[in-house]
Amino acid sequence: MDSRDSSTPNRDGSSAAAAAAGDEDASALAKDAALCFQSRKFAECVDVLNQLKSKKEKDPKVLYNIAIAEFFRDGCSNPKKLLEVLNNVKKRSEELALASGEQVESGNNVGNKVTSGSKGSGTNGANIIYTDEFGTSVASLNMGIIWFHLHEYAKALSILEPLYQNIEPIDETTALHICHLLLDVVLACHDASKSADVLNYLEKAFGVTNVSQGENGNTAAQQSLNVVGKSASEPNSSLV
């Protein structure tokens, strides 16, 4: 009895130690993947991320970053494929949130929140990054950017409008990119009332004024997630 009792803490301790070691390994792999991406070694980045996937097989953030790295590795040649993968990852993230009893919101990133200003009531309302805090708003924003660069403005708008309508919970940086991209989309659609609403919100919430037409979508693509840059064939790289 004594020997069995004394061994139980050892087994528990061993399990805890193994879990801690696994977390450390995963953290190290994530840092290596980010370094490879920033160095534009996309094939190596994919290899490292696949190692990380073996430790966190169903983690949406890992699946998301693999999709982004593979997109760059293949020369950004198949944006439609990336759209499909991002949509699947977004659905997976939502399923996990529902399964854990959490309320699924379009913006569930951790960070500074938009607390000032109001987006108004006339506009319905999304980046391509490797990020530590994955939220469905990030995936949606990237999808919006891809549709924008494919000149599918109606499809981009269908993604951006829900994000804009529920923009308050989204972290400040992502929210700013959503607004910039949405502004470019509505201008491309020649919708003056919606563009005025977005401009009004940008000024109230972020103090942004004098935004020029034609530079918003590019700015969002470059600064938000940076998979699709000034054009679909001219990507920028950014991993955290």
Side-chain angles (χ1 to χ4, degrees), residues 33-82:
L35 181 60
C36 289
F37 192 94
Q38 291 164 354
S39 301
R40 304 187 69 81
K41 299 177 180 178
F42 303 123
E44 294 180 25
C45 179
V46 172
D47 291 340
V48 175
L49 287 171
N50 280 324
Q51 295 179 47
L52 183 59
K53 181 182 175 183
S54 67
K55 300 179 181 297
K56 296 187 174 184
E57 184 175 356
K58 297 182 179 181
D59 188 336
K61 181 173 64 177
V62 177
L63 299 177
Y64 169 86
N65 286 324
I66 289 175
I68 299 304
E70 288 180 339
F71 181 67
F72 275 106
R73 181 198 62 188
D74 299 337
C76 307
S77 59
N78 195 344
K80 293 290 184 69
K81 178 183 177 181
L82 179 59

mmCIF file of all heavy atoms in Angstrom, residues 33-82:
data_model
loop_
_atom_site.group_PDB
_atom_site.id
_atom_site.type_symbol
_atom_site.label_atom_id
_atom_site.label_comp_id
_atom_site.label_asym_id
_atom_site.label_seq_id
_atom_site.Cartn_x
_atom_site.Cartn_y
_atom_site.Cartn_z
ATOM 1 N N ALA A 33 9.745 28.509 -36.529
ATOM 2 C CA ALA A 33 8.907 28.721 -37.711
ATOM 3 C C ALA A 33 8.808 30.206 -38.039
ATOM 4 O O ALA A 33 8.893 30.605 -39.205
ATOM 5 C CB ALA A 33 7.518 28.128 -37.475
ATOM 6 N N ALA A 34 8.630 31.018 -37.003
ATOM 7 C CA ALA A 34 8.544 32.457 -37.220
ATOM 8 C C ALA A 34 9.835 33.007 -37.814
ATOM 9 O O ALA A 34 9.815 33.839 -38.727
ATOM 10 C CB ALA A 34 8.224 33.163 -35.904
ATOM 11 N N LEU A 35 10.957 32.538 -37.315
ATOM 12 C CA LEU A 35 12.251 32.988 -37.825
ATOM 13 C C LEU A 35 12.427 32.593 -39.281
ATOM 14 O O LEU A 35 12.894 33.393 -40.104
ATOM 15 C CB LEU A 35 13.372 32.402 -36.970
ATOM 16 C CG LEU A 35 14.806 32.805 -37.360
ATOM 17 C CD1 LEU A 35 14.969 34.314 -37.264
ATOM 18 C CD2 LEU A 35 15.824 32.109 -36.464
ATOM 19 N N CYS A 36 12.043 31.365 -39.617
ATOM 20 C CA CYS A 36 12.143 30.909 -41.005
ATOM 21 C C CYS A 36 11.263 31.755 -41.919
ATOM 22 O O CYS A 36 11.667 32.135 -43.022
ATOM 23 C CB CYS A 36 11.732 29.436 -41.108
ATOM 24 S SG CYS A 36 12.909 28.272 -40.387
ATOM 25 N N PHE A 37 10.053 32.070 -41.449
ATOM 26 C CA PHE A 37 9.141 32.857 -42.272
ATOM 27 C C PHE A 37 9.697 34.253 -42.497
ATOM 28 O O PHE A 37 9.682 34.772 -43.614
ATOM 29 C CB PHE A 37 7.768 32.926 -41.607
ATOM 30 C CG PHE A 37 6.687 33.455 -42.505
ATOM 31 C CD1 PHE A 37 5.887 32.597 -43.225
ATOM 32 C CD2 PHE A 37 6.481 34.826 -42.626
ATOM 33 C CE1 PHE A 37 4.878 33.093 -44.056
ATOM 34 C CE2 PHE A 37 5.489 35.324 -43.456
ATOM 35 C CZ PHE A 37 4.691 34.456 -44.177
ATOM 36 N N GLN A 38 10.177 34.865 -41.428
ATOM 37 C CA GLN A 38 10.722 36.219 -41.542
ATOM 38 C C GLN A 38 11.958 36.247 -42.438
ATOM 39 O O GLN A 38 12.246 37.264 -43.074
ATOM 40 C CB GLN A 38 11.053 36.748 -40.150
ATOM 41 C CG GLN A 38 9.809 37.012 -39.311
ATOM 42 C CD GLN A 38 10.108 37.169 -37.829
ATOM 43 O OE1 GLN A 38 11.244 36.971 -37.400
ATOM 44 N NE2 GLN A 38 9.086 37.485 -37.060
ATOM 45 N N SER A 39 12.668 35.125 -42.514
ATOM 46 C CA SER A 39 13.845 35.023 -43.382
ATOM 47 C C SER A 39 13.469 34.579 -44.790
ATOM 48 O O SER A 39 14.348 34.347 -45.616
ATOM 49 C CB SER A 39 14.852 34.021 -42.783
ATOM 50 O OG SER A 39 15.250 34.416 -41.486
ATOM 51 N N ARG A 40 12.157 34.439 -45.027
ATOM 52 C CA ARG A 40 11.621 34.022 -46.324
ATOM 53 C C ARG A 40 12.057 32.614 -46.697
ATOM 54 O O ARG A 40 12.108 32.258 -47.870
ATOM 55 C CB ARG A 40 11.978 35.038 -47.416
ATOM 56 C CG ARG A 40 11.528 36.457 -47.106
ATOM 57 C CD ARG A 40 11.739 37.398 -48.281
ATOM 58 N NE ARG A 40 10.841 37.106 -49.375
ATOM 59 C CZ ARG A 40 9.570 37.498 -49.443
ATOM 60 N NH1 ARG A 40 9.039 38.214 -48.461
ATOM 61 N NH2 ARG A 40 8.828 37.190 -50.481
ATOM 62 N N LYS A 41 12.338 31.803 -45.717
ATOM 63 C CA LYS A 41 12.639 30.383 -45.933
ATOM 64 C C LYS A 41 11.339 29.607 -45.734
ATOM 65 O O LYS A 41 11.158 28.888 -44.765
ATOM 66 C CB LYS A 41 13.722 29.917 -44.964
ATOM 67 C CG LYS A 41 15.050 30.655 -45.132
ATOM 68 C CD LYS A 41 16.073 30.207 -44.088
ATOM 69 C CE LYS A 41 17.390 30.941 -44.253
ATOM 70 N NZ LYS A 41 18.386 30.545 -43.205
ATOM 71 N N PHE A 42 10.455 29.758 -46.706
ATOM 72 C CA PHE A 42 9.099 29.275 -46.520
ATOM 73 C C PHE A 42 9.005 27.752 -46.485
ATOM 74 O O PHE A 42 8.189 27.200 -45.748
ATOM 75 C CB PHE A 42 8.197 29.847 -47.612
ATOM 76 C CG PHE A 42 8.198 31.359 -47.649
ATOM 77 C CD1 PHE A 42 8.548 32.044 -48.801
ATOM 78 C CD2 PHE A 42 7.863 32.091 -46.518
ATOM 79 C CE1 PHE A 42 8.549 33.431 -48.833
ATOM 80 C CE2 PHE A 42 7.857 33.479 -46.537
ATOM 81 C CZ PHE A 42 8.210 34.143 -47.698
ATOM 82 N N ALA A 43 9.815 27.070 -47.289
ATOM 83 C CA ALA A 43 9.791 25.608 -47.278
ATOM 84 C C ALA A 43 10.231 25.077 -45.912
ATOM 85 O O ALA A 43 9.619 24.148 -45.365
ATOM 86 C CB ALA A 43 10.698 25.055 -48.373
ATOM 87 N N GLU A 44 11.288 25.690 -45.364
ATOM 88 C CA GLU A 44 11.734 25.285 -44.028
ATOM 89 C C GLU A 44 10.673 25.609 -42.986
ATOM 90 O O GLU A 44 10.469 24.840 -42.032
ATOM 91 C CB GLU A 44 13.049 25.980 -43.678
ATOM 92 C CG GLU A 44 14.230 25.560 -44.556
ATOM 93 C CD GLU A 44 15.509 26.271 -44.164
ATOM 94 O OE1 GLU A 44 15.620 26.695 -42.996
ATOM 95 O OE2 GLU A 44 16.399 26.414 -45.025
ATOM 96 N N CYS A 45 10.016 26.725 -43.159
ATOM 97 C CA CYS A 45 8.959 27.115 -42.228
ATOM 98 C C CYS A 45 7.843 26.072 -42.220
ATOM 99 O O CYS A 45 7.346 25.686 -41.152
ATOM 100 C CB CYS A 45 8.396 28.483 -42.626
ATOM 101 S SG CYS A 45 7.063 29.082 -41.564
ATOM 102 N N VAL A 46 7.446 25.614 -43.402
ATOM 103 C CA VAL A 46 6.401 24.590 -43.486
ATOM 104 C C VAL A 46 6.842 23.314 -42.785
ATOM 105 O O VAL A 46 6.056 22.677 -42.065
ATOM 106 C CB VAL A 46 6.048 24.304 -44.960
ATOM 107 C CG1 VAL A 46 5.107 23.104 -45.065
ATOM 108 C CG2 VAL A 46 5.404 25.529 -45.606
ATOM 109 N N ASP A 47 8.103 22.922 -42.970
ATOM 110 C CA ASP A 47 8.612 21.718 -42.323
ATOM 111 C C ASP A 47 8.537 21.833 -40.803
ATOM 112 O O ASP A 47 8.122 20.883 -40.110
ATOM 113 C CB ASP A 47 10.060 21.456 -42.747
ATOM 114 C CG ASP A 47 10.175 21.043 -44.213
ATOM 115 O OD1 ASP A 47 9.155 20.596 -44.773
ATOM 116 O OD2 ASP A 47 11.278 21.179 -44.784
ATOM 117 N N VAL A 48 8.943 22.983 -40.279
ATOM 118 C CA VAL A 48 8.910 23.181 -38.829
ATOM 119 C C VAL A 48 7.473 23.191 -38.319
ATOM 120 O O VAL A 48 7.164 22.601 -37.275
ATOM 121 C CB VAL A 48 9.625 24.496 -38.446
ATOM 122 C CG1 VAL A 48 9.492 24.760 -36.946
ATOM 123 C CG2 VAL A 48 11.097 24.433 -38.839
ATOM 124 N N LEU A 49 6.590 23.851 -39.059
ATOM 125 C CA LEU A 49 5.191 23.905 -38.645
ATOM 126 C C LEU A 49 4.541 22.523 -38.658
ATOM 127 O O LEU A 49 3.682 22.223 -37.824
ATOM 128 C CB LEU A 49 4.407 24.861 -39.546
ATOM 129 C CG LEU A 49 4.679 26.347 -39.327
ATOM 130 C CD1 LEU A 49 4.024 27.182 -40.426
ATOM 131 C CD2 LEU A 49 4.174 26.789 -37.954
ATOM 132 N N ASN A 50 4.946 21.678 -39.592
ATOM 133 C CA ASN A 50 4.421 20.315 -39.615
ATOM 134 C C ASN A 50 4.891 19.523 -38.401
ATOM 135 O O ASN A 50 4.161 18.667 -37.884
ATOM 136 C CB ASN A 50 4.815 19.615 -40.911
ATOM 137 C CG ASN A 50 3.934 20.009 -42.079
ATOM 138 O OD1 ASN A 50 2.737 20.214 -41.918
ATOM 139 N ND2 ASN A 50 4.520 20.118 -43.266
ATOM 140 N N GLN A 51 6.107 19.811 -37.931
ATOM 141 C CA GLN A 51 6.569 19.195 -36.679
ATOM 142 C C GLN A 51 5.713 19.675 -35.516
ATOM 143 O O GLN A 51 5.350 18.902 -34.637
ATOM 144 C CB GLN A 51 8.032 19.545 -36.426
ATOM 145 C CG GLN A 51 9.010 18.992 -37.449
ATOM 146 C CD GLN A 51 10.439 19.408 -37.155
ATOM 147 O OE1 GLN A 51 10.916 19.307 -36.018
ATOM 148 N NE2 GLN A 51 11.137 19.898 -38.167
ATOM 149 N N LEU A 52 5.400 20.951 -35.540
ATOM 150 C CA LEU A 52 4.550 21.515 -34.494
ATOM 151 C C LEU A 52 3.142 20.920 -34.563
ATOM 152 O O LEU A 52 2.508 20.667 -33.529
ATOM 153 C CB LEU A 52 4.490 23.036 -34.646
ATOM 154 C CG LEU A 52 3.697 23.808 -33.594
ATOM 155 C CD1 LEU A 52 4.242 23.562 -32.195
ATOM 156 C CD2 LEU A 52 3.718 25.303 -33.910
ATOM 157 N N LYS A 53 2.675 20.662 -35.773
ATOM 158 C CA LYS A 53 1.350 20.082 -35.956
ATOM 159 C C LYS A 53 1.260 18.711 -35.310
ATOM 160 O O LYS A 53 0.203 18.319 -34.796
ATOM 161 C CB LYS A 53 1.030 19.988 -37.446
ATOM 162 C CG LYS A 53 -0.349 19.414 -37.747
ATOM 163 C CD LYS A 53 -0.571 19.298 -39.244
ATOM 164 C CE LYS A 53 -1.891 18.613 -39.549
ATOM 165 N NZ LYS A 53 -2.084 18.436 -41.017
ATOM 166 N N SER A 54 2.350 17.953 -35.324
ATOM 167 C CA SER A 54 2.341 16.627 -34.705
ATOM 168 C C SER A 54 2.129 16.710 -33.204
ATOM 169 O O SER A 54 1.661 15.752 -32.574
ATOM 170 C CB SER A 54 3.654 15.893 -35.003
ATOM 171 O OG SER A 54 4.752 16.525 -34.349
ATOM 172 N N LYS A 55 2.454 17.850 -32.628
ATOM 173 C CA LYS A 55 2.254 18.062 -31.193
ATOM 174 C C LYS A 55 0.904 18.724 -30.897
ATOM 175 O O LYS A 55 0.356 18.558 -29.806
ATOM 176 C CB LYS A 55 3.385 18.922 -30.615
ATOM 177 C CG LYS A 55 4.771 18.287 -30.774
ATOM 178 C CD LYS A 55 5.852 19.187 -30.211
ATOM 179 C CE LYS A 55 7.235 18.571 -30.383
ATOM 180 N NZ LYS A 55 7.371 17.298 -29.627
ATOM 181 N N LYS A 56 0.422 19.500 -31.861
ATOM 182 C CA LYS A 56 -0.858 20.196 -31.693
ATOM 183 C C LYS A 56 -1.668 20.002 -32.967
ATOM 184 O O LYS A 56 -1.905 20.940 -33.730
ATOM 185 C CB LYS A 56 -0.636 21.684 -31.422
ATOM 186 C CG LYS A 56 0.087 21.963 -30.110
ATOM 187 C CD LYS A 56 0.123 23.450 -29.814
ATOM 188 C CE LYS A 56 0.718 23.732 -28.445
ATOM 189 N NZ LYS A 56 0.669 25.173 -28.108
ATOM 190 N N GLU A 57 -2.105 18.771 -33.160
ATOM 191 C CA GLU A 57 -2.673 18.368 -34.441
ATOM 192 C C GLU A 57 -3.908 19.160 -34.839
ATOM 193 O O GLU A 57 -4.115 19.472 -36.011
ATOM 194 C CB GLU A 57 -3.019 16.873 -34.385
ATOM 195 C CG GLU A 57 -3.525 16.318 -35.700
ATOM 196 C CD GLU A 57 -3.752 14.817 -35.651
ATOM 197 O OE1 GLU A 57 -3.434 14.210 -34.617
ATOM 198 O OE2 GLU A 57 -4.250 14.271 -36.648
ATOM 199 N N LYS A 58 -4.750 19.501 -33.879
ATOM 200 C CA LYS A 58 -6.018 20.140 -34.207
ATOM 201 C C LYS A 58 -6.060 21.615 -33.820
ATOM 202 O O LYS A 58 -7.128 22.215 -33.780
ATOM 203 C CB LYS A 58 -7.153 19.388 -33.514
ATOM 204 C CG LYS A 58 -7.305 17.950 -33.982
ATOM 205 C CD LYS A 58 -8.470 17.260 -33.299
ATOM 206 C CE LYS A 58 -8.625 15.824 -33.782
ATOM 207 N NZ LYS A 58 -9.773 15.142 -33.137
ATOM 208 N N ASP A 59 -4.903 22.190 -33.554
ATOM 209 C CA ASP A 59 -4.844 23.596 -33.174
ATOM 210 C C ASP A 59 -5.087 24.470 -34.409
ATOM 211 O O ASP A 59 -4.286 24.446 -35.350
ATOM 212 C CB ASP A 59 -3.475 23.898 -32.565
ATOM 213 C CG ASP A 59 -3.397 25.295 -31.965
ATOM 214 O OD1 ASP A 59 -4.174 26.169 -32.394
ATOM 215 O OD2 ASP A 59 -2.562 25.505 -31.065
ATOM 216 N N PRO A 60 -6.173 25.246 -34.452
ATOM 217 C CA PRO A 60 -6.462 26.066 -35.637
ATOM 218 C C PRO A 60 -5.342 27.038 -35.971
ATOM 219 O O PRO A 60 -5.097 27.328 -37.143
ATOM 220 C CB PRO A 60 -7.745 26.812 -35.246
ATOM 221 C CG PRO A 60 -8.367 25.988 -34.181
ATOM 222 C CD PRO A 60 -7.223 25.383 -33.426
ATOM 223 N N LYS A 61 -4.668 27.541 -34.951
ATOM 224 C CA LYS A 61 -3.594 28.504 -35.190
ATOM 225 C C LYS A 61 -2.464 27.854 -35.986
ATOM 226 O O LYS A 61 -1.901 28.468 -36.908
ATOM 227 C CB LYS A 61 -3.070 29.043 -33.856
ATOM 228 C CG LYS A 61 -1.962 30.081 -33.998
ATOM 229 C CD LYS A 61 -1.624 30.681 -32.656
ATOM 230 C CE LYS A 61 -1.057 29.647 -31.703
ATOM 231 N NZ LYS A 61 -0.665 30.245 -30.415
ATOM 232 N N VAL A 62 -2.133 26.620 -35.650
ATOM 233 C CA VAL A 62 -1.076 25.908 -36.368
ATOM 234 C C VAL A 62 -1.509 25.637 -37.801
ATOM 235 O O VAL A 62 -0.740 25.852 -38.755
ATOM 236 C CB VAL A 62 -0.722 24.594 -35.642
ATOM 237 C CG1 VAL A 62 0.329 23.821 -36.442
ATOM 238 C CG2 VAL A 62 -0.209 24.868 -34.235
ATOM 239 N N LEU A 63 -2.735 25.171 -37.974
ATOM 240 C CA LEU A 63 -3.252 24.889 -39.317
ATOM 241 C C LEU A 63 -3.286 26.160 -40.162
ATOM 242 O O LEU A 63 -2.961 26.143 -41.355
ATOM 243 C CB LEU A 63 -4.654 24.289 -39.213
ATOM 244 C CG LEU A 63 -4.763 22.963 -38.447
ATOM 245 C CD1 LEU A 63 -6.219 22.535 -38.352
ATOM 246 C CD2 LEU A 63 -3.932 21.870 -39.107
ATOM 247 N N TYR A 64 -3.660 27.249 -39.531
ATOM 248 C CA TYR A 64 -3.705 28.544 -40.213
ATOM 249 C C TYR A 64 -2.319 28.962 -40.702
ATOM 250 O O TYR A 64 -2.129 29.350 -41.855
ATOM 251 C CB TYR A 64 -4.270 29.577 -39.246
ATOM 252 C CG TYR A 64 -4.144 31.017 -39.680
ATOM 253 C CD1 TYR A 64 -5.104 31.603 -40.493
ATOM 254 C CD2 TYR A 64 -3.068 31.792 -39.254
ATOM 255 C CE1 TYR A 64 -4.995 32.922 -40.877
ATOM 256 C CE2 TYR A 64 -2.958 33.110 -39.639
ATOM 257 C CZ TYR A 64 -3.927 33.667 -40.447
ATOM 258 O OH TYR A 64 -3.802 34.976 -40.836
ATOM 259 N N ASN A 65 -1.335 28.850 -39.830
ATOM 260 C CA ASN A 65 0.008 29.284 -40.191
ATOM 261 C C ASN A 65 0.637 28.384 -41.245
ATOM 262 O O ASN A 65 1.429 28.841 -42.078
ATOM 263 C CB ASN A 65 0.876 29.354 -38.940
ATOM 264 C CG ASN A 65 0.523 30.545 -38.074
ATOM 265 O OD1 ASN A 65 0.191 31.610 -38.562
ATOM 266 N ND2 ASN A 65 0.575 30.358 -36.770
ATOM 267 N N ILE A 66 0.294 27.091 -41.225
ATOM 268 C CA ILE A 66 0.761 26.193 -42.277
ATOM 269 C C ILE A 66 0.208 26.644 -43.623
ATOM 270 O O ILE A 66 0.934 26.676 -44.632
ATOM 271 C CB ILE A 66 0.349 24.738 -41.973
ATOM 272 C CG1 ILE A 66 1.161 24.186 -40.798
ATOM 273 C CG2 ILE A 66 0.546 23.857 -43.206
ATOM 274 C CD1 ILE A 66 0.737 22.794 -40.360
ATOM 275 N N ALA A 67 -1.066 27.003 -43.645
ATOM 276 C CA ALA A 67 -1.686 27.469 -44.890
ATOM 277 C C ALA A 67 -0.999 28.716 -45.421
ATOM 278 O O ALA A 67 -0.727 28.833 -46.624
ATOM 279 C CB ALA A 67 -3.174 27.738 -44.661
ATOM 280 N N ILE A 68 -0.683 29.644 -44.527
ATOM 281 C CA ILE A 68 -0.023 30.881 -44.937
ATOM 282 C C ILE A 68 1.386 30.595 -45.463
ATOM 283 O O ILE A 68 1.792 31.104 -46.513
ATOM 284 C CB ILE A 68 0.048 31.866 -43.762
ATOM 285 C CG1 ILE A 68 -1.359 32.235 -43.276
ATOM 286 C CG2 ILE A 68 0.815 33.122 -44.165
ATOM 287 C CD1 ILE A 68 -2.256 32.794 -44.329
ATOM 288 N N ALA A 69 2.139 29.770 -44.747
ATOM 289 C CA ALA A 69 3.512 29.452 -45.153
ATOM 290 C C ALA A 69 3.528 28.704 -46.481
ATOM 291 O O ALA A 69 4.376 28.955 -47.348
ATOM 292 C CB ALA A 69 4.204 28.633 -44.061
ATOM 293 N N GLU A 70 2.590 27.784 -46.668
ATOM 294 C CA GLU A 70 2.520 27.037 -47.928
ATOM 295 C C GLU A 70 2.162 27.964 -49.080
ATOM 296 O O GLU A 70 2.659 27.794 -50.209
ATOM 297 C CB GLU A 70 1.495 25.911 -47.811
ATOM 298 C CG GLU A 70 1.949 24.758 -46.936
ATOM 299 C CD GLU A 70 0.918 23.656 -46.831
ATOM 300 O OE1 GLU A 70 -0.282 23.941 -47.095
ATOM 301 O OE2 GLU A 70 1.280 22.519 -46.485
ATOM 302 N N PHE A 71 1.314 28.944 -48.809
ATOM 303 C CA PHE A 71 0.932 29.906 -49.839
ATOM 304 C C PHE A 71 2.150 30.667 -50.347
ATOM 305 O O PHE A 71 2.339 30.845 -51.553
ATOM 306 C CB PHE A 71 -0.115 30.858 -49.261
ATOM 307 C CG PHE A 71 -0.616 31.893 -50.231
ATOM 308 C CD1 PHE A 71 -1.360 31.532 -51.337
ATOM 309 C CD2 PHE A 71 -0.365 33.244 -50.017
ATOM 310 C CE1 PHE A 71 -1.842 32.482 -52.223
ATOM 311 C CE2 PHE A 71 -0.842 34.200 -50.894
ATOM 312 C CZ PHE A 71 -1.580 33.826 -52.000
ATOM 313 N N PHE A 72 2.998 31.103 -49.430
ATOM 314 C CA PHE A 72 4.227 31.795 -49.826
ATOM 315 C C PHE A 72 5.225 30.853 -50.464
ATOM 316 O O PHE A 72 5.907 31.204 -51.430
ATOM 317 C CB PHE A 72 4.856 32.478 -48.615
ATOM 318 C CG PHE A 72 4.280 33.840 -48.335
ATOM 319 C CD1 PHE A 72 3.427 34.034 -47.271
ATOM 320 C CD2 PHE A 72 4.596 34.919 -49.133
ATOM 321 C CE1 PHE A 72 2.894 35.282 -47.007
ATOM 322 C CE2 PHE A 72 4.073 36.175 -48.892
ATOM 323 C CZ PHE A 72 3.209 36.354 -47.819
ATOM 324 N N ARG A 73 5.319 29.661 -49.926
ATOM 325 C CA ARG A 73 6.251 28.677 -50.495
ATOM 326 C C ARG A 73 5.944 28.416 -51.963
ATOM 327 O O ARG A 73 6.857 28.240 -52.792
ATOM 328 C CB ARG A 73 6.156 27.377 -49.706
ATOM 329 C CG ARG A 73 7.102 26.263 -50.182
ATOM 330 C CD ARG A 73 6.652 24.919 -49.670
ATOM 331 N NE ARG A 73 5.321 24.568 -50.174
ATOM 332 C CZ ARG A 73 4.628 23.508 -49.755
ATOM 333 N NH1 ARG A 73 5.128 22.712 -48.810
ATOM 334 N NH2 ARG A 73 3.432 23.244 -50.262
ATOM 335 N N ASP A 74 4.666 28.406 -52.304
ATOM 336 C CA ASP A 74 4.245 28.122 -53.670
ATOM 337 C C ASP A 74 4.153 29.377 -54.523
ATOM 338 O O ASP A 74 3.556 29.357 -55.608
ATOM 339 C CB ASP A 74 2.887 27.410 -53.652
ATOM 340 C CG ASP A 74 2.951 26.074 -52.920
ATOM 341 O OD1 ASP A 74 4.043 25.494 -52.818
ATOM 342 O OD2 ASP A 74 1.894 25.612 -52.434
ATOM 343 N N GLY A 75 4.726 30.473 -54.048
ATOM 344 C CA GLY A 75 4.773 31.696 -54.834
ATOM 345 C C GLY A 75 3.455 32.434 -54.928
ATOM 346 O O GLY A 75 3.226 33.180 -55.887
ATOM 347 N N CYS A 76 2.588 32.239 -53.933
ATOM 348 C CA CYS A 76 1.286 32.928 -53.906
ATOM 349 C C CYS A 76 0.503 32.665 -55.184
ATOM 350 O O CYS A 76 -0.196 33.552 -55.701
ATOM 351 C CB CYS A 76 1.461 34.430 -53.702
ATOM 352 S SG CYS A 76 2.473 34.859 -52.274
ATOM 353 N N SER A 77 0.626 31.450 -55.699
ATOM 354 C CA SER A 77 0.074 31.132 -57.014
ATOM 355 C C SER A 77 -1.374 30.664 -56.985
ATOM 356 O O SER A 77 -2.017 30.609 -58.033
ATOM 357 C CB SER A 77 0.936 30.041 -57.687
ATOM 358 O OG SER A 77 0.969 28.868 -56.879
ATOM 359 N N ASN A 78 -1.879 30.312 -55.821
ATOM 360 C CA ASN A 78 -3.230 29.756 -55.769
ATOM 361 C C ASN A 78 -4.031 30.378 -54.633
ATOM 362 O O ASN A 78 -4.291 29.730 -53.613
ATOM 363 C CB ASN A 78 -3.153 28.234 -55.598
ATOM 364 C CG ASN A 78 -4.472 27.550 -55.899
ATOM 365 O OD1 ASN A 78 -5.526 28.185 -55.954
ATOM 366 N ND2 ASN A 78 -4.430 26.232 -56.093
ATOM 367 N N PRO A 79 -4.471 31.620 -54.802
ATOM 368 C CA PRO A 79 -5.229 32.280 -53.727
ATOM 369 C C PRO A 79 -6.559 31.605 -53.434
ATOM 370 O O PRO A 79 -7.040 31.636 -52.299
ATOM 371 C CB PRO A 79 -5.427 33.707 -54.257
ATOM 372 C CG PRO A 79 -5.242 33.605 -55.731
ATOM 373 C CD PRO A 79 -4.255 32.511 -55.961
ATOM 374 N N LYS A 80 -7.179 30.986 -54.440
ATOM 375 C CA LYS A 80 -8.454 30.312 -54.206
ATOM 376 C C LYS A 80 -8.273 29.137 -53.237
ATOM 377 O O LYS A 80 -9.139 28.893 -52.383
ATOM 378 C CB LYS A 80 -9.020 29.812 -55.533
ATOM 379 C CG LYS A 80 -9.442 30.908 -56.502
ATOM 380 C CD LYS A 80 -10.676 31.632 -56.012
ATOM 381 C CE LYS A 80 -11.173 32.664 -57.022
ATOM 382 N NZ LYS A 80 -11.729 32.053 -58.241
ATOM 383 N N LYS A 81 -7.162 28.430 -53.354
ATOM 384 C CA LYS A 81 -6.886 27.331 -52.433
ATOM 385 C C LYS A 81 -6.708 27.859 -51.015
ATOM 386 O O LYS A 81 -7.211 27.260 -50.052
ATOM 387 C CB LYS A 81 -5.630 26.581 -52.865
ATOM 388 C CG LYS A 81 -5.244 25.442 -51.925
ATOM 389 C CD LYS A 81 -3.947 24.769 -52.361
ATOM 390 C CE LYS A 81 -3.537 23.684 -51.369
ATOM 391 N NZ LYS A 81 -2.250 23.033 -51.777
ATOM 392 N N LEU A 82 -6.009 28.976 -50.893
ATOM 393 C CA LEU A 82 -5.815 29.569 -49.568
ATOM 394 C C LEU A 82 -7.156 29.991 -48.979
ATOM 395 O O LEU A 82 -7.391 29.809 -47.777
ATOM 396 C CB LEU A 82 -4.878 30.769 -49.660
ATOM 397 C CG LEU A 82 -4.606 31.503 -48.338
ATOM 398 C CD1 LEU A 82 -3.988 30.575 -47.311
ATOM 399 C CD2 LEU A 82 -3.712 32.716 -48.554
#
